[in-house]
Amino acid sequence: MELYHQLYQPIAAENTKRAASIKLLICDVDGVFSDGRIYLGNNGEELKAFHTRDGYGIKALRHAGIEVAVITGRTSAIVEQRMRSLTVPHIYQGQENKIAAFQELLQHLQLSAAEVAYIGDDLADWEVMQHCGLAVAVQDAHPYLQRYAHMKTSLPGGYGAVRELCDLLLIAQDRFMQFDGSSS
């Protein structure tokens, strides 16, 4: 894990062990893939910014055989479009009760909660995070999540936090640098 330490931050041995067993990464969207701000135009159009490095990380995970899902409380065509472009197969939007989507994913993929990592930024994510094998708060997450998550990224949401977690999972599973595709 020296590489992760050099790239991002020191990591506890316990979290390295957790990362090594992850088979599914679940991400919140607003505040995780984006900086949490929503831009609304005069005609009701919605805009969000996504970081291409996060896209590369997601594609690298998928290439390594690690499943990826998003569970978000909002519904947005932009999210659907972005996740489809990254080949994310499990997209749950409009989920006020995120635990139901989480349980459906576990059953569908025949995984245990210990094999799941979740990255979030706010209190709506905590119900799922407390059941996961690796619960990660982005650097600028709500203080409650920062306090109780297994770890906090060194980068804020929308600025590469997802990529940081993807790199951790790939390094812990000896699969880093095995993907040479585009960042999208």
Side-chain angles (χ1 to χ4, degrees), residues 142-169:
H142 188 280
Y144 186 89
L145 254 58
Q146 291 184 30
R147 181 174 183 178
Y148 292 107
H150 295 120
M151 65 176 284
K152 176 177 73 168
T153 63
S154 65
L155 297 170
Y159 294 92
V162 172
R163 173 64 177 277
E164 180 178 342
L165 178 54
C166 291
D167 285 352
L168 169 61
L169 299 177

Side-chain angles (χ1 to χ4, degrees), residues 82-119:
R82 179 65 177 148
M83 293 307 127
R84 293 280 177 224
S85 74
L86 298 176
T87 70
V88 173
H90 312 286
I91 304 168
Y92 292 82
Q93 295 197 72
Q95 301 295 309
E96 290 189 26
N97 178 3
K98 292 185 177 190
I99 198 76
F102 172 69
Q103 291 168 340
E104 182 179 314
L105 273 166
L106 290 181
Q107 184 177 20
H108 175 71
L109 297 172
Q110 298 180 342
L111 297 173
S112 72
E115 296 172 306
V116 178
Y118 188 103
I119 184 168

Side-chain angles (χ1 to χ4, degrees), residues 17-63:
K17 185 176 178 182
R18 291 173 185 274
S21 64
I22 298 303
K23 295 181 180 175
L24 168 65
L25 170 61
I26 302 175
C27 306
D28 181 30
V29 177
D30 295 318
V32 174
F33 270 104
S34 74
D35 64 9
R37 294 183 290 176
I38 299 169
Y39 299 92
L40 298 174
N42 288 331
N43 297 320
E45 65 271 17
E46 183 177 305
L47 301 172
K48 299 176 194 238
F50 296 99
H51 206 297
T52 59
R53 278 182 281 196
D54 290 338
Y56 184 93
I58 294 299
K59 285 184 167 185
L61 281 187
R62 300 273 297 131
H63 179 77

